[in-house]
Amino acid sequence: VTLGSSTLASNVIGNPNGDAFLRYYREDGSTQTASPSLVRFIVITLTVQNSGQSITERTRVALRDS
């Protein structure tokens, strides 16, 4: 993963279990949605592999009005 010419993360692979990188959820936090007006949470899934081991990190972001 890079930003411009800077490496932010290395050894990032696709998710072996088929999870999407980003998933969008409604206000109940468990129902996925594709409608931008209904999105209240985003779940980011990142899998890193090194020396044959895979580690998956999931981060849930709650969106707020400004």
Side-chain angles (χ1 to χ4, degrees), residues 40-61:
R40 298 297 178 265
F41 297 95
I42 297 172
V43 175
I44 304 164
T45 304
L46 182 67
T47 301
V48 177
Q49 186 174 36
N50 191 14
S51 300
Q53 286 190 313
S54 294
I55 298 172
T56 300
E57 179 69 32
R58 287 183 186 83
T59 302
R60 181 184 203 101
V61 179

Side-chain angles (χ1 to χ4, degrees), residues 1-61:
V1 178
T2 61
L3 178 61
S5 61
S6 300
T7 300
L8 302 177
S10 58
N11 300 322
V12 176
I13 62 170
N15 295 305
N17 58 0
D19 281 349
F21 175 68
L22 293 173
R23 287 190 179 188
Y24 308 96
Y25 291 90
R26 297 177 65 152
E27 63 189 29
D28 65 7
S30 61
T31 305
Q32 289 190 48
T33 183
S35 174
S37 64
L38 298 176
V39 174
R40 298 297 178 265
F41 297 95
I42 297 172
V43 175
I44 304 164
T45 304
L46 182 67
T47 301
V48 177
Q49 186 174 36
N50 191 14
S51 300
Q53 286 190 313
S54 294
I55 298 172
T56 300
E57 179 69 32
R58 287 183 186 83
T59 302
R60 181 184 203 101
V61 179

